[in-house]
Amino acid sequence: MNHRILRKNIQDVLFYLALGVGTFVFLAVFSYSTSPFTTCDNGADAAFFRLVGQGMTQGYLPYRDFFDMKGPFLFLIEYIGQLLSYGRLGIFVLQWLNLFGSIVIICKILKMYHISSRIIQICLLMPLAYIASFTFEGGNLTEEFSLIELLSCLFLCLLYFKSSENNKLWPHRMYCYAGLLYGFCFGLIILIRITNAALICTMILFVSCDLIISKKYRELFICVCMYIIGMAVSVIPFILFYGMNGLLYEAYEAVFVLGFKYAGEKTLLQHIIEACSSYRFISLIIVPCLIPFVFRWRSWRERFFTIIGGLFTFLAIASGNNYPHYYTLTIPLVLVSEISLAETFIVSNNRKRLAAVVLAGIMVVPLLRPVAASIKSGYLHLFRQDQYKTESIVQDVSSRIPEEDHNSVFCYNLNPSWYTYANLFPCIKYCGWQNHYISIMPEIYDDFYARFRSHPPTWLILPKEKGTLPVFMDELLITDYCVYYENEKYTLYCSTYKLR
């Protein structure tokens, strides 16, 4: 008996070691923005997030020195990554731990449904990796760091469904654990990006309604109290930190006000039409939500949960600009649909099995093109780095800036990744997507103007085709700056006060 247990433990260790290695290889290929095996492309959003983390190690702070709508927990993750190892490696390690933890939870969910075969588990992980290969979009994005929270809550939600299905009563401590976990995870996700918490909102709504229908008011009260405690544990430290640094209002303005206005650039109908016109809508939302209904999988709870979860996730995705990385949020829903497909194969007849294959094909085949493009991109970033010249072109410009002026450099109409290639930090917090943010929040223009007037940058970098600039900046380029150097992509301006 002891030998059998020892053998099983060894098999488990080897299995998870294999998953860890597979996760590492996956990120090395598809998270090219942070992969330590390629340095030619720092990404866009990913580069900005890393820039903030690097700045925090030098005494900079989000919302005071960097302006963006992402939440403070994301920047804490980036900061910890840079403390581990400055540059790419530190954040890559955190990505690996985050994704590996997510996969472990997925395996626990599969075992909950008696899918214990390691081969079948790997087979069910492959479609999720297939989706993540293109939705990660180079890695180090908000949706990726929301997966472990979403899947943790999904595990407890499905466990609750199975208990209700089998008429098993949860002990009160389980309601305590569930409420605490939901509150804690919800708090963390809204401090990454609030729309990423849509599926947790579904779980909270669904379980709460089920408890009310079942007249389990005491259990609901326990969940609510523990939820408040869990959320307080995750949110209050950030409130205290930014409050003590006098940045609470700035953080609120950036994360919630700008985020709300960003989502409101288009009408709800425009957002929905845009999302519905995407092939991703069919493959990653419609089909995964329909599969449990088509095969009448499990109880009505699981089936209605997938529909409502799909609706909430769709609305979260539609509230933005329908970028591929938003669809990373569909991975928990796809997992549920995979489980229902797997159980259909086990217990159904050939006709239903054929229907399962057809639905799986509808989900997978339309994604072939973006997955192939992502594989090609990963290959080029790893083995054809000579095709990417941005770093050398940026450093050609940044090397002209004297070291004593490194704290007075500013880019406009350029990707924030410029600073990561140059190993510099912006001297004004509006360091990326300036025209877009000004169009959303016109008051940014006034603050921008005041900062330029009170502490104008000594060095200003613009693209060769400078694009649209604020009126005051166009004027300053004539009166207060002159061209110091330019290459094939960038123009370096120097303050005339510096040259006197």
PDB file of all heavy atoms in Angstrom, residues 24 33-39 50 54 80-96:
ATOM      1  N   PHE A  24       6.573  27.074 -18.917  1.00  0.00           N
ATOM      2  CA  PHE A  24       7.752  27.891 -19.174  1.00  0.00           C
ATOM      3  C   PHE A  24       8.001  28.027 -20.679  1.00  0.00           C
ATOM      4  O   PHE A  24       8.240  29.131 -21.184  1.00  0.00           O
ATOM      5  CB  PHE A  24       8.969  27.261 -18.492  1.00  0.00           C
ATOM      6  CG  PHE A  24      10.230  28.061 -18.617  1.00  0.00           C
ATOM      7  CD1 PHE A  24      10.537  29.036 -17.678  1.00  0.00           C
ATOM      8  CD2 PHE A  24      11.113  27.861 -19.679  1.00  0.00           C
ATOM      9  CE1 PHE A  24      11.705  29.788 -17.788  1.00  0.00           C
ATOM     10  CE2 PHE A  24      12.262  28.601 -19.811  1.00  0.00           C
ATOM     11  CZ  PHE A  24      12.563  29.574 -18.849  1.00  0.00           C
ATOM     12  N   SER A  33       7.034  39.725 -25.143  1.00  0.00           N
ATOM     13  CA  SER A  33       7.286  41.039 -24.558  1.00  0.00           C
ATOM     14  C   SER A  33       8.162  40.956 -23.306  1.00  0.00           C
ATOM     15  O   SER A  33       8.768  41.950 -22.903  1.00  0.00           O
ATOM     16  CB  SER A  33       5.964  41.728 -24.177  1.00  0.00           C
ATOM     17  OG  SER A  33       5.191  41.992 -25.321  1.00  0.00           O
ATOM     18  N   THR A  34       8.195  39.770 -22.688  1.00  0.00           N
ATOM     19  CA  THR A  34       8.970  39.610 -21.461  1.00  0.00           C
ATOM     20  C   THR A  34       9.905  38.413 -21.485  1.00  0.00           C
ATOM     21  O   THR A  34      10.688  38.226 -20.554  1.00  0.00           O
ATOM     22  CB  THR A  34       8.031  39.448 -20.246  1.00  0.00           C
ATOM     23  OG1 THR A  34       7.161  38.330 -20.470  1.00  0.00           O
ATOM     24  CG2 THR A  34       7.191  40.694 -20.034  1.00  0.00           C
ATOM     25  N   SER A  35       9.823  37.578 -22.509  1.00  0.00           N
ATOM     26  CA  SER A  35      10.642  36.367 -22.571  1.00  0.00           C
ATOM     27  C   SER A  35      12.127  36.711 -22.454  1.00  0.00           C
ATOM     28  O   SER A  35      12.623  37.587 -23.152  1.00  0.00           O
ATOM     29  CB  SER A  35      10.394  35.625 -23.887  1.00  0.00           C
ATOM     30  OG  SER A  35      11.319  34.556 -24.035  1.00  0.00           O
ATOM     31  N   PRO A  36      12.853  36.032 -21.563  1.00  0.00           N
ATOM     32  CA  PRO A  36      14.290  36.305 -21.442  1.00  0.00           C
ATOM     33  C   PRO A  36      15.099  35.817 -22.635  1.00  0.00           C
ATOM     34  O   PRO A  36      16.293  36.112 -22.734  1.00  0.00           O
ATOM     35  CB  PRO A  36      14.675  35.541 -20.162  1.00  0.00           C
ATOM     36  CG  PRO A  36      13.653  34.454 -20.036  1.00  0.00           C
ATOM     37  CD  PRO A  36      12.388  35.015 -20.599  1.00  0.00           C
ATOM     38  N   PHE A  37      14.453  35.075 -23.535  1.00  0.00           N
ATOM     39  CA  PHE A  37      15.167  34.541 -24.691  1.00  0.00           C
ATOM     40  C   PHE A  37      15.096  35.456 -25.907  1.00  0.00           C
ATOM     41  O   PHE A  37      15.629  35.142 -26.959  1.00  0.00           O
ATOM     42  CB  PHE A  37      14.610  33.155 -25.040  1.00  0.00           C
ATOM     43  CG  PHE A  37      14.698  32.192 -23.898  1.00  0.00           C
ATOM     44  CD1 PHE A  37      13.571  31.836 -23.177  1.00  0.00           C
ATOM     45  CD2 PHE A  37      15.920  31.669 -23.519  1.00  0.00           C
ATOM     46  CE1 PHE A  37      13.647  30.962 -22.114  1.00  0.00           C
ATOM     47  CE2 PHE A  37      16.016  30.784 -22.444  1.00  0.00           C
ATOM     48  CZ  PHE A  37      14.877  30.432 -21.745  1.00  0.00           C
ATOM     49  N   THR A  38      14.372  36.556 -25.764  1.00  0.00           N
ATOM     50  CA  THR A  38      14.327  37.553 -26.832  1.00  0.00           C
ATOM     51  C   THR A  38      14.244  38.933 -26.204  1.00  0.00           C
ATOM     52  O   THR A  38      13.549  39.124 -25.220  1.00  0.00           O
ATOM     53  CB  THR A  38      13.121  37.328 -27.762  1.00  0.00           C
ATOM     54  OG1 THR A  38      13.054  38.390 -28.704  1.00  0.00           O
ATOM     55  CG2 THR A  38      11.818  37.268 -26.996  1.00  0.00           C
ATOM     56  N   THR A  39      14.964  39.875 -26.760  1.00  0.00           N
ATOM     57  CA  THR A  39      14.974  41.241 -26.210  1.00  0.00           C
ATOM     58  C   THR A  39      14.595  42.271 -27.273  1.00  0.00           C
ATOM     59  O   THR A  39      14.754  43.469 -27.056  1.00  0.00           O
ATOM     60  CB  THR A  39      16.369  41.594 -25.665  1.00  0.00           C
ATOM     61  OG1 THR A  39      17.335  41.497 -26.721  1.00  0.00           O
ATOM     62  CG2 THR A  39      16.773  40.643 -24.545  1.00  0.00           C
ATOM     63  N   ARG A  50       5.712  47.362 -17.357  1.00  0.00           N
ATOM     64  CA  ARG A  50       7.055  47.075 -16.855  1.00  0.00           C
ATOM     65  C   ARG A  50       7.803  48.354 -16.505  1.00  0.00           C
ATOM     66  O   ARG A  50       8.532  48.418 -15.507  1.00  0.00           O
ATOM     67  CB  ARG A  50       7.845  46.297 -17.910  1.00  0.00           C
ATOM     68  CG  ARG A  50       9.075  45.593 -17.354  1.00  0.00           C
ATOM     69  CD  ARG A  50       9.811  44.869 -18.458  1.00  0.00           C
ATOM     70  NE  ARG A  50      10.924  45.677 -18.930  1.00  0.00           N
ATOM     71  CZ  ARG A  50      11.557  45.455 -20.061  1.00  0.00           C
ATOM     72  NH1 ARG A  50      11.157  44.489 -20.869  1.00  0.00           N
ATOM     73  NH2 ARG A  50      12.578  46.212 -20.423  1.00  0.00           N
ATOM     74  N   GLN A  54       9.581  49.254 -13.010  1.00  0.00           N
ATOM     75  CA  GLN A  54      10.976  49.660 -12.917  1.00  0.00           C
ATOM     76  C   GLN A  54      11.097  51.025 -12.235  1.00  0.00           C
ATOM     77  O   GLN A  54      11.990  51.237 -11.411  1.00  0.00           O
ATOM     78  CB  GLN A  54      11.589  49.713 -14.323  1.00  0.00           C
ATOM     79  CG  GLN A  54      11.762  48.346 -14.955  1.00  0.00           C
ATOM     80  CD  GLN A  54      12.269  48.413 -16.391  1.00  0.00           C
ATOM     81  OE1 GLN A  54      12.050  49.404 -17.093  1.00  0.00           O
ATOM     82  NE2 GLN A  54      12.922  47.365 -16.844  1.00  0.00           N
ATOM     83  N   ILE A  80       7.110  44.017  -7.902  1.00  0.00           N
ATOM     84  CA  ILE A  80       7.713  42.817  -7.315  1.00  0.00           C
ATOM     85  C   ILE A  80       8.586  42.112  -8.351  1.00  0.00           C
ATOM     86  O   ILE A  80       9.688  41.632  -8.033  1.00  0.00           O
ATOM     87  CB  ILE A  80       6.619  41.872  -6.775  1.00  0.00           C
ATOM     88  CG1 ILE A  80       5.892  42.528  -5.601  1.00  0.00           C
ATOM     89  CG2 ILE A  80       7.202  40.526  -6.360  1.00  0.00           C
ATOM     90  CD1 ILE A  80       4.663  41.774  -5.136  1.00  0.00           C
ATOM     91  N   GLY A  81       8.099  42.060  -9.597  1.00  0.00           N
ATOM     92  CA  GLY A  81       8.898  41.449 -10.660  1.00  0.00           C
ATOM     93  C   GLY A  81      10.235  42.139 -10.842  1.00  0.00           C
ATOM     94  O   GLY A  81      11.277  41.491 -10.998  1.00  0.00           O
ATOM     95  N   GLN A  82      10.237  43.454 -10.788  1.00  0.00           N
ATOM     96  CA  GLN A  82      11.487  44.199 -10.962  1.00  0.00           C
ATOM     97  C   GLN A  82      12.401  44.067  -9.749  1.00  0.00           C
ATOM     98  O   GLN A  82      13.624  44.147  -9.875  1.00  0.00           O
ATOM     99  CB  GLN A  82      11.189  45.673 -11.252  1.00  0.00           C
ATOM    100  CG  GLN A  82      10.444  45.909 -12.552  1.00  0.00           C
ATOM    101  CD  GLN A  82      11.096  45.193 -13.733  1.00  0.00           C
ATOM    102  OE1 GLN A  82      12.290  45.326 -13.974  1.00  0.00           O
ATOM    103  NE2 GLN A  82      10.294  44.420 -14.459  1.00  0.00           N
ATOM    104  N   LEU A  83      11.821  43.862  -8.569  1.00  0.00           N
ATOM    105  CA  LEU A  83      12.649  43.599  -7.386  1.00  0.00           C
ATOM    106  C   LEU A  83      13.325  42.237  -7.499  1.00  0.00           C
ATOM    107  O   LEU A  83      14.472  42.062  -7.063  1.00  0.00           O
ATOM    108  CB  LEU A  83      11.801  43.658  -6.111  1.00  0.00           C
ATOM    109  CG  LEU A  83      11.310  45.042  -5.668  1.00  0.00           C
ATOM    110  CD1 LEU A  83      10.454  44.908  -4.406  1.00  0.00           C
ATOM    111  CD2 LEU A  83      12.471  45.997  -5.423  1.00  0.00           C
ATOM    112  N   LEU A  84      12.606  41.267  -8.092  1.00  0.00           N
ATOM    113  CA  LEU A  84      13.191  39.940  -8.281  1.00  0.00           C
ATOM    114  C   LEU A  84      14.366  39.997  -9.237  1.00  0.00           C
ATOM    115  O   LEU A  84      15.440  39.447  -8.968  1.00  0.00           O
ATOM    116  CB  LEU A  84      12.136  38.967  -8.824  1.00  0.00           C
ATOM    117  CG  LEU A  84      11.059  38.484  -7.858  1.00  0.00           C
ATOM    118  CD1 LEU A  84      10.031  37.631  -8.588  1.00  0.00           C
ATOM    119  CD2 LEU A  84      11.685  37.691  -6.713  1.00  0.00           C
ATOM    120  N   SER A  85      14.158  40.660 -10.361  1.00  0.00           N
ATOM    121  CA  SER A  85      15.218  40.814 -11.354  1.00  0.00           C
ATOM    122  C   SER A  85      14.837  41.951 -12.283  1.00  0.00           C
ATOM    123  O   SER A  85      13.806  41.892 -12.957  1.00  0.00           O
ATOM    124  CB  SER A  85      15.407  39.521 -12.160  1.00  0.00           C
ATOM    125  OG  SER A  85      16.423  39.684 -13.142  1.00  0.00           O
ATOM    126  N   TYR A  86      15.641  42.977 -12.305  1.00  0.00           N
ATOM    127  CA  TYR A  86      15.319  44.183 -13.080  1.00  0.00           C
ATOM    128  C   TYR A  86      15.348  43.855 -14.573  1.00  0.00           C
ATOM    129  O   TYR A  86      16.298  43.253 -15.077  1.00  0.00           O
ATOM    130  CB  TYR A  86      16.359  45.266 -12.759  1.00  0.00           C
ATOM    131  CG  TYR A  86      15.966  46.660 -13.198  1.00  0.00           C
ATOM    132  CD1 TYR A  86      15.185  47.468 -12.381  1.00  0.00           C
ATOM    133  CD2 TYR A  86      16.378  47.172 -14.425  1.00  0.00           C
ATOM    134  CE1 TYR A  86      14.833  48.750 -12.760  1.00  0.00           C
ATOM    135  CE2 TYR A  86      16.027  48.449 -14.821  1.00  0.00           C
ATOM    136  CZ  TYR A  86      15.255  49.239 -13.993  1.00  0.00           C
ATOM    137  OH  TYR A  86      14.900  50.503 -14.376  1.00  0.00           O
ATOM    138  N   GLY A  87      14.296  44.240 -15.266  1.00  0.00           N
ATOM    139  CA  GLY A  87      14.213  43.976 -16.699  1.00  0.00           C
ATOM    140  C   GLY A  87      13.159  42.938 -17.017  1.00  0.00           C
ATOM    141  O   GLY A  87      12.085  42.910 -16.411  1.00  0.00           O
ATOM    142  N   ARG A  88      13.471  42.024 -17.917  1.00  0.00           N
ATOM    143  CA  ARG A  88      12.493  41.053 -18.391  1.00  0.00           C
ATOM    144  C   ARG A  88      12.302  39.870 -17.442  1.00  0.00           C
ATOM    145  O   ARG A  88      11.186  39.400 -17.242  1.00  0.00           O
ATOM    146  CB  ARG A  88      12.928  40.509 -19.756  1.00  0.00           C
ATOM    147  CG  ARG A  88      12.750  41.484 -20.900  1.00  0.00           C
ATOM    148  CD  ARG A  88      13.393  40.943 -22.171  1.00  0.00           C
ATOM    149  NE  ARG A  88      12.881  41.695 -23.321  1.00  0.00           N
ATOM    150  CZ  ARG A  88      11.939  41.257 -24.135  1.00  0.00           C
ATOM    151  NH1 ARG A  88      11.399  40.084 -23.935  1.00  0.00           N
ATOM    152  NH2 ARG A  88      11.514  41.996 -25.139  1.00  0.00           N
ATOM    153  N   LEU A  89      13.388  39.368 -16.880  1.00  0.00           N
ATOM    154  CA  LEU A  89      13.353  38.083 -16.195  1.00  0.00           C
ATOM    155  C   LEU A  89      12.412  38.081 -14.997  1.00  0.00           C
ATOM    156  O   LEU A  89      11.656  37.120 -14.786  1.00  0.00           O
ATOM    157  CB  LEU A  89      14.764  37.677 -15.753  1.00  0.00           C
ATOM    158  CG  LEU A  89      14.871  36.322 -15.055  1.00  0.00           C
ATOM    159  CD1 LEU A  89      14.379  35.199 -15.965  1.00  0.00           C
ATOM    160  CD2 LEU A  89      16.307  36.061 -14.616  1.00  0.00           C
ATOM    161  N   GLY A  90      12.422  39.150 -14.190  1.00  0.00           N
ATOM    162  CA  GLY A  90      11.624  39.167 -12.968  1.00  0.00           C
ATOM    163  C   GLY A  90      10.149  39.026 -13.227  1.00  0.00           C
ATOM    164  O   GLY A  90       9.456  38.192 -12.611  1.00  0.00           O
ATOM    165  N   ILE A  91       9.621  39.816 -14.147  1.00  0.00           N
ATOM    166  CA  ILE A  91       8.192  39.749 -14.433  1.00  0.00           C
ATOM    167  C   ILE A  91       7.851  38.446 -15.151  1.00  0.00           C
ATOM    168  O   ILE A  91       6.761  37.878 -14.972  1.00  0.00           O
ATOM    169  CB  ILE A  91       7.722  40.987 -15.254  1.00  0.00           C
ATOM    170  CG1 ILE A  91       6.196  41.038 -15.305  1.00  0.00           C
ATOM    171  CG2 ILE A  91       8.327  41.017 -16.628  1.00  0.00           C
ATOM    172  CD1 ILE A  91       5.527  41.147 -13.947  1.00  0.00           C
ATOM    173  N   PHE A  92       8.790  37.911 -15.931  1.00  0.00           N
ATOM    174  CA  PHE A  92       8.575  36.625 -16.591  1.00  0.00           C
ATOM    175  C   PHE A  92       8.399  35.522 -15.552  1.00  0.00           C
ATOM    176  O   PHE A  92       7.534  34.654 -15.707  1.00  0.00           O
ATOM    177  CB  PHE A  92       9.748  36.299 -17.513  1.00  0.00           C
ATOM    178  CG  PHE A  92       9.596  35.013 -18.273  1.00  0.00           C
ATOM    179  CD1 PHE A  92       8.881  34.972 -19.456  1.00  0.00           C
ATOM    180  CD2 PHE A  92      10.163  33.838 -17.796  1.00  0.00           C
ATOM    181  CE1 PHE A  92       8.733  33.768 -20.162  1.00  0.00           C
ATOM    182  CE2 PHE A  92      10.019  32.641 -18.485  1.00  0.00           C
ATOM    183  CZ  PHE A  92       9.303  32.610 -19.667  1.00  0.00           C
ATOM    184  N   VAL A  93       9.195  35.553 -14.486  1.00  0.00           N
ATOM    185  CA  VAL A  93       9.068  34.559 -13.414  1.00  0.00           C
ATOM    186  C   VAL A  93       7.687  34.643 -12.773  1.00  0.00           C
ATOM    187  O   VAL A  93       7.041  33.620 -12.520  1.00  0.00           O
ATOM    188  CB  VAL A  93      10.172  34.764 -12.360  1.00  0.00           C
ATOM    189  CG1 VAL A  93       9.901  33.904 -11.125  1.00  0.00           C
ATOM    190  CG2 VAL A  93      11.540  34.419 -12.945  1.00  0.00           C
ATOM    191  N   LEU A  94       7.198  35.862 -12.519  1.00  0.00           N
ATOM    192  CA  LEU A  94       5.862  36.010 -11.938  1.00  0.00           C
ATOM    193  C   LEU A  94       4.780  35.525 -12.902  1.00  0.00           C
ATOM    194  O   LEU A  94       3.783  34.931 -12.472  1.00  0.00           O
ATOM    195  CB  LEU A  94       5.610  37.467 -11.558  1.00  0.00           C
ATOM    196  CG  LEU A  94       6.430  38.018 -10.388  1.00  0.00           C
ATOM    197  CD1 LEU A  94       5.938  39.411 -10.010  1.00  0.00           C
ATOM    198  CD2 LEU A  94       6.364  37.104  -9.176  1.00  0.00           C
ATOM    199  N   GLN A  95       4.953  35.780 -14.185  1.00  0.00           N
ATOM    200  CA  GLN A  95       4.003  35.258 -15.175  1.00  0.00           C
ATOM    201  C   GLN A  95       3.975  33.738 -15.130  1.00  0.00           C
ATOM    202  O   GLN A  95       2.904  33.128 -15.210  1.00  0.00           O
ATOM    203  CB  GLN A  95       4.401  35.712 -16.581  1.00  0.00           C
ATOM    204  CG  GLN A  95       4.139  37.160 -16.891  1.00  0.00           C
ATOM    205  CD  GLN A  95       4.613  37.475 -18.305  1.00  0.00           C
ATOM    206  OE1 GLN A  95       5.743  37.908 -18.497  1.00  0.00           O
ATOM    207  NE2 GLN A  95       3.761  37.242 -19.280  1.00  0.00           N
ATOM    208  N   TRP A  96       5.166  33.146 -15.031  1.00  0.00           N
ATOM    209  CA  TRP A  96       5.253  31.687 -14.999  1.00  0.00           C
ATOM    210  C   TRP A  96       4.537  31.131 -13.772  1.00  0.00           C
ATOM    211  O   TRP A  96       3.756  30.181 -13.870  1.00  0.00           O
ATOM    212  CB  TRP A  96       6.716  31.263 -15.018  1.00  0.00           C
ATOM    213  CG  TRP A  96       6.893  29.779 -14.910  1.00  0.00           C
ATOM    214  CD1 TRP A  96       6.680  28.856 -15.890  1.00  0.00           C
ATOM    215  CD2 TRP A  96       7.286  29.050 -13.735  1.00  0.00           C
ATOM    216  NE1 TRP A  96       6.918  27.585 -15.399  1.00  0.00           N
ATOM    217  CE2 TRP A  96       7.296  27.685 -14.089  1.00  0.00           C
ATOM    218  CE3 TRP A  96       7.633  29.425 -12.443  1.00  0.00           C
ATOM    219  CZ2 TRP A  96       7.639  26.696 -13.174  1.00  0.00           C
ATOM    220  CZ3 TRP A  96       7.980  28.437 -11.536  1.00  0.00           C
ATOM    221  CH2 TRP A  96       7.984  27.096 -11.903  1.00  0.00           C
TER     222      TRP A  96
END
